[in-house]
Amino acid sequence: MSDAQKKQIADKNEIMQFLTDVMRNSQLGEKDRLGAAFKLGRYLGLEGSQPLEMPSVVIYDGTDKDQLS
């Protein structure tokens, strides 16, 4: 592929930068910004992932008696 052809095709960094710029541009509509955010998330593999759950806190007071039940 010639240099001229390479310049015509955006690489993944250029595409990610463009989508990031759209997502952060407060002058654009919410629909456009959300669309860019979803496309970035899909590329980064965040689509369909489960949200992180906070671990339960257990305080051990030194006794063997179970007071949770």
Side-chain angles (χ1 to χ4, degrees):
M1 200 181 298
S2 71
D3 287 339
Q5 287 175 326
K6 287 181 183 178
K7 289 182 181 181
Q8 290 179 353
I9 300 172
D11 63 3
K12 66 180 179 180
N13 288 330
E14 187 177 355
I15 294 169
M16 289 181 63
Q17 181 64 47
F18 172 79
L19 290 173
T20 300
D21 290 343
V22 170
M23 182 185 75
R24 293 180 177 168
N25 188 343
S26 61
Q27 296 178 352
L28 294 176
E30 185 177 359
K31 183 178 179 181
D32 294 326
R33 295 174 69 197
L34 283 173
F38 279 114
K39 289 175 184 176
L40 279 170
R42 187 179 315 136
Y43 177 78
L44 296 172
L46 301 175
E47 186 176 80
S49 63
Q50 298 296 324
L52 296 176
E53 293 184 23
M54 296 300 293
S56 300
V57 175
V58 177
I59 299 173
Y60 178 69
D61 63 0
T63 64
D64 291 334
K65 185 175 178 184
D66 181 8
Q67 297 194 11
L68 295 176
S69 48

